[in-house]
Amino acid sequence: MKRAVKQDSNNTIVVVLQFPPFAQAIVGFCKTARAFPGTPADHARYLSAIGWRFADQADFGRIADQKGLVDRLSTTLQLLDHSAADDSPAVKAWFTFADAIIAIDCNHHKALRKAKEERQCLAKQDVEMIGASPTMVSKHKAH
């Protein structure tokens, strides 16, 4: 992960340099946390030890776009003890990071669905404006 991000002297991630390797590292950490023995709180503490402080969240959209990452974060979050974040800023940072990435992905999908619905609505209005039924239009296009 060290080559995938640039960190300052406080281990705050200043910029993600390589998105796929960064996402792969996160997925690997999640798999490792799940594999070793311990409680869900122990797994959360393991993940928090990596350091999930970001200078800003500008790269979060690109991070969320990495294949398989959101699914892995979602699965991992279900296995962790969320109360472990109550007394640990580092654990809280992990949950904040994971929640933000999942929320960005969810909002992206909602926006895509809304845009698709709007396009379909506009297409239907166009058909109604020309006074033809959708069936007539599709038959006409088939010729």
Side-chain angles (χ1 to χ4, degrees):
M1 181 147 116
K2 293 288 184 193
R3 288 183 237 135
V5 297
K6 180 179 180 182
Q7 294 176 301
D8 66 13
S9 60
N10 296 321
N11 287 330
T12 298
I13 296 173
V14 178
V15 65
V16 177
L17 302 171
Q18 299 176 353
F19 289 92
F22 179 70
Q24 291 169 357
I26 294 169
V27 168
F29 291 131
C30 290
K31 288 179 180 179
T32 301
R34 187 175 178 181
F36 75 81
T39 67
D42 293 334
H43 298 164
R45 282 190 280 283
Y46 167 78
L47 288 168
S48 70
I50 296 158
W52 297 101
R53 291 185 315 260
F54 288 81
D56 63 47
Q57 296 181 354
D59 291 333
F60 278 24
R62 289 190 60 198
I63 294 169
D65 284 342
Q66 301 305 304
K67 186 176 180 172
L69 180 61
V70 172
D71 291 337
R72 178 55 62 185
L73 289 174
S74 297
T75 301
T76 301
L77 282 175
Q78 294 172 11
L79 303 172
L80 300 177
D81 181 357
H82 293 258
S83 67
D86 294 344
D87 60 350
S88 171
V91 174
K92 185 174 184 172
W94 158 254
F95 283 114
T96 300
F97 168 77
D99 288 340
I101 297 301
I102 292 167
I104 288 168
D105 183 69
C106 181
N107 290 339
H108 177 73
H109 287 290
K110 284 180 185 176
L112 288 176
R113 280 193 300 276
K114 184 176 179 182
K116 181 180 178 183
E117 289 169 4
E118 288 173 356
R119 283 192 307 275
Q120 289 172 339
C121 183
L122 288 173
K124 183 178 177 183
Q125 288 173 353
D126 288 346
V127 168
E128 290 171 356
M129 285 179 58
I130 61 173
S133 71
T135 309
M136 289 176 58
V137 171
S138 66
K139 286 181 182 178
H140 179 60
K141 288 181 180 179
H143 288 94

